[in-house]
Each structure stands twice: as structure tokens, then as C-alpha cells.
Amino acid sequence: YSDRNMVHLNDKFVIGIGGVARCGKDTMARILSLLLQEQGFNVVIESFASPLKYEAQEFLDSKFGIDVFTSYSRAKQGIRPFLVGLAEVHRLQTEGQFYWKALADRSLDLEPKTIILIPDLRFGYYSEDEIHFVNENGVSIHLELAKSIFAAECKSMPANDTERFNDPILKEKCKIRFNWYVQENPEEYYIAPIRSLLAYSIIHLIESKFKNI
């Protein structure tokens, strides 16, 4: 790929999943991964924020005894402001390019024709931000989680001012919008709708990109 401005992953396909905290981005990534692998694709789930978490791990563990990779909701809420602040320093210094360029570097170790799922797409403010990297190399999906099939209001609200500012920008720039509502077993209930999403909106893009590789 080119180190100049936007990075082009010519032999990979990127699917970025955005939305506010706890709207189901990781769940969506797991379902997409399962369905894509069923069709014979090589899939990895990556994260823009993984370098940030490794950078913060030693400090949070030594000072507070907190594992930055915890799935415990209360602990995640407690460390989120620290992670957001640290991330914003890197983003300000690079005008939004720090984390997607790090991911692009890591992708060099992946096999050709790999699909990279990224369930922590959050930013689209700068001219060459995460959303632009995703759209340049694949497709972006914005998720919203409603309280029920009859409720228009979202169950998952922005977790902080950063999300409150950035999510509307992200939603506007994402190529696909997917709304779902709370289910006890979403990975079972949404298999069929997400299979349809793949069939009608994504698979042809993947095949078009990979056909000459």
C-alpha cells in the first residue's frame, strides 16, 4: 500500500461497524464472521483500539488493578474516559490517522483475500479518518439498537460527549445503516437478516475486489 495520505489495502476487504457503545457492534461482527466463513472466506476480527489498550494496560493494572480487556460493564465504564483521552491525543497529533495506519501495518501479515472485520469504527471528523479508511478499502455499517420493534428511540445512547459529537458524523458517512432491537439471543435471531444484508449489499463488493487477485 502507499504511505502517502490514504492507505489502500489492495488484497484485503474491510468491513467497519460503527455505532454508540453497547449497540451490538461485537455481536454483529461475530455473526458476519460466521456467515462469511460459511461461504469460504478467510476472516479476522480486528480493532482500531487494540494498540491503545495495550498502551494503557500496564498503567491501569499497576495503578488500579483493572484489566483493560475486561468485559465487565462497570469496569469498562470506569476506564472509558481515560482511554478516550489517551486516544484523542494520538488523533490530534495525526489528524485521525494514528489508529487506522497502525491497523493497516498489522494487515500486512494477513493472507491475501482476507476480510477484516472492525467492530469499533467510531470516528469520521477528519478528512482522512477511520471512516474514510474503511470506505476506501471496503464498506461501513452503522448500527442502532432500539428498545423494541415498535420503539423508535434507541436503547443505547452515547456514552460520553465524544460519542455524542462523533456518532452523527459517522452515521452520515457510513454506507449501510442497520437497525435492530433487543433480543435474548441476537446471534440466533439475526442470522437470517444479516445473511440477506450480505447477499444484497456486501458479497458482490468482496467478489469484485478479489476477482483479479
Side-chain angles (χ1 to χ4, degrees), residues 36-53:
L36 288 163
Q37 289 181 74
E38 283 181 355
Q39 297 193 42
F41 291 106
N42 184 37
V43 182
V44 298
I45 297 179
E46 257 285 4
S47 169
F48 284 126
S50 59
L52 170 71
K53 291 182 177 180

PDB file of all heavy atoms in Angstrom, residues 36-53:
ATOM      1  N   LEU A  36     -19.621 -15.307   6.758  1.00  0.00           N
ATOM      2  CA  LEU A  36     -18.598 -15.191   5.720  1.00  0.00           C
ATOM      3  C   LEU A  36     -17.716 -16.432   5.658  1.00  0.00           C
ATOM      4  O   LEU A  36     -17.340 -16.890   4.569  1.00  0.00           O
ATOM      5  CB  LEU A  36     -17.753 -13.936   5.958  1.00  0.00           C
ATOM      6  CG  LEU A  36     -18.457 -12.604   5.656  1.00  0.00           C
ATOM      7  CD1 LEU A  36     -17.709 -11.440   6.295  1.00  0.00           C
ATOM      8  CD2 LEU A  36     -18.577 -12.392   4.147  1.00  0.00           C
ATOM      9  N   GLN A  37     -17.387 -16.987   6.822  1.00  0.00           N
ATOM     10  CA  GLN A  37     -16.587 -18.218   6.841  1.00  0.00           C
ATOM     11  C   GLN A  37     -17.377 -19.382   6.261  1.00  0.00           C
ATOM     12  O   GLN A  37     -16.801 -20.266   5.614  1.00  0.00           O
ATOM     13  CB  GLN A  37     -16.127 -18.513   8.264  1.00  0.00           C
ATOM     14  CG  GLN A  37     -15.059 -17.548   8.766  1.00  0.00           C
ATOM     15  CD  GLN A  37     -14.595 -17.878  10.162  1.00  0.00           C
ATOM     16  OE1 GLN A  37     -13.861 -18.836  10.392  1.00  0.00           O
ATOM     17  NE2 GLN A  37     -15.044 -17.071  11.123  1.00  0.00           N
ATOM     18  N   GLU A  38     -18.683 -19.393   6.477  1.00  0.00           N
ATOM     19  CA  GLU A  38     -19.527 -20.433   5.868  1.00  0.00           C
ATOM     20  C   GLU A  38     -19.427 -20.402   4.349  1.00  0.00           C
ATOM     21  O   GLU A  38     -19.581 -21.430   3.684  1.00  0.00           O
ATOM     22  CB  GLU A  38     -20.990 -20.238   6.287  1.00  0.00           C
ATOM     23  CG  GLU A  38     -21.307 -20.703   7.687  1.00  0.00           C
ATOM     24  CD  GLU A  38     -22.779 -20.511   8.017  1.00  0.00           C
ATOM     25  OE1 GLU A  38     -23.508 -19.934   7.175  1.00  0.00           O
ATOM     26  OE2 GLU A  38     -23.198 -20.925   9.113  1.00  0.00           O
ATOM     27  N   GLN A  39     -19.179 -19.210   3.797  1.00  0.00           N
ATOM     28  CA  GLN A  39     -19.072 -19.058   2.350  1.00  0.00           C
ATOM     29  C   GLN A  39     -17.642 -19.226   1.857  1.00  0.00           C
ATOM     30  O   GLN A  39     -17.360 -18.986   0.681  1.00  0.00           O
ATOM     31  CB  GLN A  39     -19.633 -17.700   1.923  1.00  0.00           C
ATOM     32  CG  GLN A  39     -21.114 -17.543   2.235  1.00  0.00           C
ATOM     33  CD  GLN A  39     -21.731 -16.353   1.535  1.00  0.00           C
ATOM     34  OE1 GLN A  39     -21.469 -16.088   0.366  1.00  0.00           O
ATOM     35  NE2 GLN A  39     -22.581 -15.631   2.245  1.00  0.00           N
ATOM     36  N   GLY A  40     -16.744 -19.614   2.740  1.00  0.00           N
ATOM     37  CA  GLY A  40     -15.385 -19.939   2.336  1.00  0.00           C
ATOM     38  C   GLY A  40     -14.383 -18.804   2.422  1.00  0.00           C
ATOM     39  O   GLY A  40     -13.235 -18.957   1.985  1.00  0.00           O
ATOM     40  N   PHE A  41     -14.773 -17.672   2.997  1.00  0.00           N
ATOM     41  CA  PHE A  41     -13.858 -16.538   3.095  1.00  0.00           C
ATOM     42  C   PHE A  41     -12.967 -16.654   4.335  1.00  0.00           C
ATOM     43  O   PHE A  41     -13.372 -17.189   5.369  1.00  0.00           O
ATOM     44  CB  PHE A  41     -14.628 -15.219   3.161  1.00  0.00           C
ATOM     45  CG  PHE A  41     -15.324 -14.844   1.880  1.00  0.00           C
ATOM     46  CD1 PHE A  41     -16.697 -14.965   1.768  1.00  0.00           C
ATOM     47  CD2 PHE A  41     -14.605 -14.388   0.789  1.00  0.00           C
ATOM     48  CE1 PHE A  41     -17.354 -14.623   0.591  1.00  0.00           C
ATOM     49  CE2 PHE A  41     -15.248 -14.040  -0.393  1.00  0.00           C
ATOM     50  CZ  PHE A  41     -16.620 -14.158  -0.493  1.00  0.00           C
ATOM     51  N   ASN A  42     -11.760 -16.148   4.200  1.00  0.00           N
ATOM     52  CA  ASN A  42     -10.852 -16.031   5.339  1.00  0.00           C
ATOM     53  C   ASN A  42     -11.179 -14.727   6.066  1.00  0.00           C
ATOM     54  O   ASN A  42     -11.158 -13.656   5.460  1.00  0.00           O
ATOM     55  CB  ASN A  42      -9.402 -16.029   4.857  1.00  0.00           C
ATOM     56  CG  ASN A  42      -8.419 -16.006   6.015  1.00  0.00           C
ATOM     57  OD1 ASN A  42      -8.652 -16.636   7.043  1.00  0.00           O
ATOM     58  ND2 ASN A  42      -7.326 -15.272   5.855  1.00  0.00           N
ATOM     59  N   VAL A  43     -11.507 -14.803   7.359  1.00  0.00           N
ATOM     60  CA  VAL A  43     -11.981 -13.646   8.107  1.00  0.00           C
ATOM     61  C   VAL A  43     -11.182 -13.472   9.388  1.00  0.00           C
ATOM     62  O   VAL A  43     -10.894 -14.447  10.094  1.00  0.00           O
ATOM     63  CB  VAL A  43     -13.478 -13.801   8.464  1.00  0.00           C
ATOM     64  CG1 VAL A  43     -13.988 -12.565   9.195  1.00  0.00           C
ATOM     65  CG2 VAL A  43     -14.318 -14.068   7.220  1.00  0.00           C
ATOM     66  N   VAL A  44     -10.840 -12.225   9.706  1.00  0.00           N
ATOM     67  CA  VAL A  44     -10.270 -11.897  11.013  1.00  0.00           C
ATOM     68  C   VAL A  44     -11.061 -10.733  11.598  1.00  0.00           C
ATOM     69  O   VAL A  44     -11.571  -9.886  10.862  1.00  0.00           O
ATOM     70  CB  VAL A  44      -8.774 -11.522  10.932  1.00  0.00           C
ATOM     71  CG1 VAL A  44      -7.948 -12.680  10.408  1.00  0.00           C
ATOM     72  CG2 VAL A  44      -8.560 -10.283  10.079  1.00  0.00           C
ATOM     73  N   ILE A  45     -11.190 -10.727  12.920  1.00  0.00           N
ATOM     74  CA  ILE A  45     -11.807  -9.594  13.616  1.00  0.00           C
ATOM     75  C   ILE A  45     -10.684  -8.773  14.238  1.00  0.00           C
ATOM     76  O   ILE A  45      -9.909  -9.274  15.046  1.00  0.00           O
ATOM     77  CB  ILE A  45     -12.812 -10.058  14.679  1.00  0.00           C
ATOM     78  CG1 ILE A  45     -13.969 -10.814  14.022  1.00  0.00           C
ATOM     79  CG2 ILE A  45     -13.345  -8.860  15.464  1.00  0.00           C
ATOM     80  CD1 ILE A  45     -15.009 -11.342  15.004  1.00  0.00           C
ATOM     81  N   GLU A  46     -10.590  -7.531  13.829  1.00  0.00           N
ATOM     82  CA  GLU A  46      -9.538  -6.628  14.280  1.00  0.00           C
ATOM     83  C   GLU A  46     -10.152  -5.494  15.089  1.00  0.00           C
ATOM     84  O   GLU A  46     -11.365  -5.434  15.277  1.00  0.00           O
ATOM     85  CB  GLU A  46      -8.760  -6.076  13.073  1.00  0.00           C
ATOM     86  CG  GLU A  46      -7.411  -6.733  12.853  1.00  0.00           C
ATOM     87  CD  GLU A  46      -6.367  -6.265  13.860  1.00  0.00           C
ATOM     88  OE1 GLU A  46      -6.719  -5.488  14.768  1.00  0.00           O
ATOM     89  OE2 GLU A  46      -5.204  -6.683  13.745  1.00  0.00           O
ATOM     90  N   SER A  47      -9.296  -4.580  15.539  1.00  0.00           N
ATOM     91  CA  SER A  47      -9.775  -3.444  16.328  1.00  0.00           C
ATOM     92  C   SER A  47      -8.859  -2.249  16.112  1.00  0.00           C
ATOM     93  O   SER A  47      -7.632  -2.378  16.187  1.00  0.00           O
ATOM     94  CB  SER A  47      -9.798  -3.812  17.812  1.00  0.00           C
ATOM     95  OG  SER A  47     -10.004  -2.674  18.613  1.00  0.00           O
ATOM     96  N   PHE A  48      -9.459  -1.107  15.834  1.00  0.00           N
ATOM     97  CA  PHE A  48      -8.656   0.115  15.773  1.00  0.00           C
ATOM     98  C   PHE A  48      -8.005   0.392  17.123  1.00  0.00           C
ATOM     99  O   PHE A  48      -6.890   0.889  17.201  1.00  0.00           O
ATOM    100  CB  PHE A  48      -9.530   1.318  15.395  1.00  0.00           C
ATOM    101  CG  PHE A  48      -9.914   1.389  13.945  1.00  0.00           C
ATOM    102  CD1 PHE A  48     -11.238   1.487  13.573  1.00  0.00           C
ATOM    103  CD2 PHE A  48      -8.944   1.374  12.944  1.00  0.00           C
ATOM    104  CE1 PHE A  48     -11.598   1.568  12.231  1.00  0.00           C
ATOM    105  CE2 PHE A  48      -9.295   1.445  11.604  1.00  0.00           C
ATOM    106  CZ  PHE A  48     -10.628   1.555  11.258  1.00  0.00           C
ATOM    107  N   ALA A  49      -8.719   0.056  18.206  1.00  0.00           N
ATOM    108  CA  ALA A  49      -8.286   0.463  19.543  1.00  0.00           C
ATOM    109  C   ALA A  49      -7.302  -0.494  20.197  1.00  0.00           C
ATOM    110  O   ALA A  49      -6.822  -0.194  21.292  1.00  0.00           O
ATOM    111  CB  ALA A  49      -9.508   0.613  20.450  1.00  0.00           C
ATOM    112  N   SER A  50      -6.973  -1.620  19.574  1.00  0.00           N
ATOM    113  CA  SER A  50      -6.101  -2.581  20.263  1.00  0.00           C
ATOM    114  C   SER A  50      -4.742  -1.998  20.656  1.00  0.00           C
ATOM    115  O   SER A  50      -4.269  -2.268  21.768  1.00  0.00           O
ATOM    116  CB  SER A  50      -5.939  -3.857  19.435  1.00  0.00           C
ATOM    117  OG  SER A  50      -5.389  -3.605  18.179  1.00  0.00           O
ATOM    118  N   PRO A  51      -4.071  -1.175  19.825  1.00  0.00           N
ATOM    119  CA  PRO A  51      -2.813  -0.580  20.295  1.00  0.00           C
ATOM    120  C   PRO A  51      -3.024   0.319  21.503  1.00  0.00           C
ATOM    121  O   PRO A  51      -2.179   0.378  22.402  1.00  0.00           O
ATOM    122  CB  PRO A  51      -2.326   0.226  19.084  1.00  0.00           C
ATOM    123  CG  PRO A  51      -3.027  -0.339  17.914  1.00  0.00           C
ATOM    124  CD  PRO A  51      -4.359  -0.790  18.437  1.00  0.00           C
ATOM    125  N   LEU A  52      -4.153   1.032  21.532  1.00  0.00           N
ATOM    126  CA  LEU A  52      -4.479   1.900  22.663  1.00  0.00           C
ATOM    127  C   LEU A  52      -4.600   1.083  23.939  1.00  0.00           C
ATOM    128  O   LEU A  52      -4.071   1.458  24.993  1.00  0.00           O
ATOM    129  CB  LEU A  52      -5.787   2.629  22.371  1.00  0.00           C
ATOM    130  CG  LEU A  52      -6.427   3.399  23.529  1.00  0.00           C
ATOM    131  CD1 LEU A  52      -5.606   4.636  23.848  1.00  0.00           C
ATOM    132  CD2 LEU A  52      -7.856   3.777  23.187  1.00  0.00           C
ATOM    133  N   LYS A  53      -5.286  -0.050  23.859  1.00  0.00           N
ATOM    134  CA  LYS A  53      -5.497  -0.865  25.055  1.00  0.00           C
ATOM    135  C   LYS A  53      -4.188  -1.460  25.561  1.00  0.00           C
ATOM    136  O   LYS A  53      -3.953  -1.505  26.775  1.00  0.00           O
ATOM    137  CB  LYS A  53      -6.521  -1.956  24.755  1.00  0.00           C
ATOM    138  CG  LYS A  53      -7.929  -1.396  24.554  1.00  0.00           C
ATOM    139  CD  LYS A  53      -8.944  -2.501  24.298  1.00  0.00           C
ATOM    140  CE  LYS A  53     -10.347  -1.927  24.176  1.00  0.00           C
ATOM    141  NZ  LYS A  53     -11.362  -2.980  23.933  1.00  0.00           N
TER     142      LYS A  53
END
